[in-house]
Amino acid sequence: MTHEVVEKVKALLPDLRERAQEVEDQGQISDAGIKALQDTGFFKLMQPTQWGGYAAEPVVLYDCVRLLASACSSTGWVASIVGVHNWHLALFDQQAQQDVWGEDTEVRISSSYAPMGSGTKVEGGYLVKGSWAFSSGSAHADWAFVGGLVMIDGNPADFGTFLIPRADYTIDETWNVIGLAGTGSNTLVVQDVFVPEHRFLSFLVMNEFAAPGAKVNTEPLYRMPWGTIMPTTISAPVVGMAQGAYAAFVEHQGKRVRAAFLGENAKDDPFIKVRVAEAASEIDAAWRQLVGNLRDEWELVLAGAEIPMDLRMAARRDQVRATQRSVGAIDQLFAASGATALVKGTPLQRFWRDAHAARVHATNDAERAYVMFGDHTFGLPGVPGMV
């Protein structure tokens, strides 16, 4: 059965397509755009039931993200990242959840997980400082997750996420880019802010399925692996961008007359038809593998079984492959689109730029994920990363 939120998200798509260029020009999603998305219940999909959320199967969130990104890349990207943060918060100590959701369950969180700062251990918590770039949707968030090392006596002792309220950081407007320009992925600056112990969560603890929040939030969703959920958050919108680019290409070619070929209708060109078929197959394969792995893991979680490392590795492999396939499909279509597709404001060139911007995210570093999979396959002592 289709989730009610998916149907509500579908209703937003025509307006999102109409306003996609406006979002890019403004450099971020409007307050009204975020409110419309909030009203669908989207941000509650990964939120625990104790805080009024759905604690839904992860595929529901990513299906919504795919649809959103097919209409407006930046909206899909921000929705995916901000939307998954409620899943992450659910793994934190109950007090941290109370701090964020105790007075308002609609509160949103942005993030920048790379260790661009650190937290020095002090009595009762950490003294955090640093400058974290690329925090998508930060203008619409009341809290932030920032990644960093825990320092004890000048030495790194742990690596994880610090949860910081909006009053304790500033936002530098540094986002001036050629792709995903509407995501408002600006820089968070933190200067010697005290973060209590309950607002820190170690990545090691999460990877070992020992997060304190999962003891309270007992829904199946919170037993899914970090290394599947977070990377899929980055690939799902790219698949959506590819679907949006494909739809734009088909519409464009259906009307295009090729002056260089004596007025030939582009839709009659057999080579165009080959590109359409190949691109469609690549995009479908990307989505089917993403969804298939998620559902395989979900079924094991529902059965109370452990998710084997073979499946977790496959999910990570196919996550980066989904991005590769999607970007490759867009490239194949764009190369056959003709000069009119270069015009600013047209959807195909915007999807092309946005997908390439998404490709450079660290989670989409395909070669590293493939080597990790190869090490596992051959039983080699590689260092696993985000599985």
Side-chain angles (χ1 to χ4, degrees):
M1 180 182 294
T2 301
H3 197 284
E4 61 179 344
V5 173
V6 177
E7 297 306 310
K8 292 177 182 178
V9 163
K10 287 180 180 178
L12 299 180
L13 301 185
D15 188 60
L16 287 176
R17 290 190 189 95
E18 183 71 23
R19 296 180 180 275
Q21 187 60 48
E22 180 182 319
V23 169
E24 176 170 279
D25 293 342
Q26 291 177 343
Q28 64 181 32
I29 304 167
S30 67
D31 291 341
I34 291 292
K35 179 63 164 56
L37 190 55
Q38 177 179 299
D39 288 346
T40 67
F42 172 84
F43 294 115
K44 293 293 185 76
L45 286 172
M46 301 289 258
Q47 196 158 327
T49 55
Q50 69 159 321
W51 301 110
Y54 290 101
E57 180 180 358
V59 168
V60 177
L61 179 94
Y62 299 124
D63 196 24
C64 290
V65 165
R66 174 184 63 86
L67 291 167
L68 292 165
S70 74
C72 174
S73 304
S74 291
T75 299
W77 183 266
V78 170
S80 193
I81 291 173
V82 174
V84 84
H85 288 157
N86 287 349
W87 176 83
H88 191 187
L89 179 57
L91 301 178
F92 273 69
D93 185 272
Q94 179 72 3
Q95 184 58 56
Q97 298 175 54
Q98 178 67 38
D99 292 349
V100 175
W101 287 321
E103 294 185 3
D104 183 2
T105 58
E106 302 286 352
V107 166
R108 290 179 293 274
I109 307 169
S110 71
S111 71
S112 182
Y113 287 111
M116 300 179 193
S118 62
T120 300
K121 188 71 178 74
V122 296
E123 184 177 356
Y126 311 87
L127 199 59
V128 178
K129 64 178 179 180
S131 180
W132 283 266
F134 318 131
S135 185
S136 300
S138 49
H140 302 292
D142 301 287
W143 292 76
F145 288 133
V146 295
L149 295 171
V150 171
M151 306 299 292
I152 299 178
D153 297 328
N155 298 310
D158 200 352
F159 175 40
T161 305
F162 301 95
L163 173 63
I164 301 178
R166 180 66 184 84
D168 287 347
Y169 61 86
T170 58
I171 300 176
D172 281 356
E173 295 188 1
T174 54
W175 193 241
N176 183 19
V177 293
I178 63 167
L180 291 178
T183 62
S185 302
N186 287 305
T187 299
L188 310 180
V189 180
V190 180
Q191 296 182 345
D192 294 323
V193 167
F194 175 74
V195 177
E197 287 182 355
H198 66 268
R199 292 192 201 152
F200 172 78
L201 182 58
S202 165
F203 286 122
L204 178 61
V205 168
M206 282 195 298
N207 285 339
E208 293 180 345
F209 296 93
K215 298 175 183 178
V216 179
N217 298 311
T218 57
E219 298 94 338
L221 177 61
Y222 308 108
R223 299 197 298 276
M224 290 287 287
W226 163 270
T228 297
I229 293 294
M230 296 308 289
T232 304
T233 298
I234 300 302
S235 284
V238 185
V239 178
M241 294 173 209
Q243 291 179 330
Y246 177 85
F249 179 84
V250 170
E251 180 180 6
H252 179 60
Q253 298 305 315
K255 302 173 182 176
R256 180 183 170 208
V257 176
R258 306 184 71 181
F261 294 95
L262 304 177
E264 175 188 75
N265 291 320
K267 65 184 179 181
D268 295 327
D269 183 345
F271 303 109
I272 292 290
K273 296 171 187 176
V274 169
R275 287 178 183 261
V276 164
E278 291 180 345
S281 181
E282 288 295 281
I283 297 166
D284 285 351
W287 183 244
R288 284 175 180 270
Q289 280 194 301
L290 274 181
V291 169
N293 289 326
L294 280 167
R295 286 181 172 153
D296 286 347
E297 290 188 354
W298 183 252
E299 289 300 319
L300 288 170
V301 167
L302 291 180
E306 181 178 346
I307 300 172
M309 187 56 70
D310 285 353
L311 179 54
R312 291 166 63 181
M313 284 286 184
R316 185 75 168 90
R317 175 202 67 200
D318 295 339
Q319 170 262 316
V320 294
R321 188 65 182 151
T323 294
Q324 297 287 90
R325 279 190 164 120
S326 297
V327 174
I330 296 173
D331 284 348
Q332 187 174 22
L333 297 174
F334 190 68
S337 294
T340 53
L342 299 172
V343 176
K344 291 182 178 180
T346 54
L348 187 55
Q349 55 80 33
R350 188 171 55 245
F351 282 122
W352 182 77
R353 288 185 289 105
D354 290 341
H356 277 275
R359 166 62 184 84
V360 302
H361 192 284
T363 307
N364 284 326
D365 191 337
E367 291 76 14
R368 288 181 183 272
Y370 294 157
V371 168
M372 183 173 66
F373 181 85
D375 284 341
H376 176 74
T377 299
F378 289 115
L380 299 174
V383 179
M386 202 176 291
V387 291

